[in-house]
Amino acid sequence: MDALNLVLIILMLVAGLFLVIAVLMQHGKSHGLSGTIAGGAETFFGKDSGSKIDKLLNKFTTIIGIVFVVLVLLVYFIQPDYEYDGGNESPATAYESSYSENINL
């Protein structure tokens, strides 16, 4: 189960990276106005090319966002439970001791 948790965490990090990239590549809501004033890329790429790319990025962002949320929930439910009883040791020390107990099983 530890290997599965590691794989899911790596997939979650990759999905998060793709999600950030997809969001940063999208145009803002005011893009239409600035493109009208500046004359911009509509003449170079064609009139519908920019909107097609925005629609594709919007779908990609939605799909990656859903995958990211599912991965976060899977990691949350699969990870082992660690209890902290509020004793004299810190939560980090309690985590380390419970982790070493689980490994020695």
Side-chain angles (χ1 to χ4, degrees), residues 7 34 37 39 43 47-48 51 59-60 72 74 84:
V7 168
S34 66
I37 294 171
T43 58
K47 238 179 173 173
D48 295 331
S51 64
K59 287 181 184 179
F60 183 71
V72 167
L74 280 173
Y84 175 63

Side-chain angles (χ1 to χ4, degrees), residues 64-85:
I64 293 295
I66 291 170
V67 168
F68 183 76
V69 168
V70 168
L71 286 172
V72 167
L73 290 173
L74 280 173
V75 168
Y76 176 75
F77 287 119
I78 289 176
Q79 73 180 356
D81 292 332
Y82 299 107
E83 294 183 14
Y84 175 63
D85 61 358

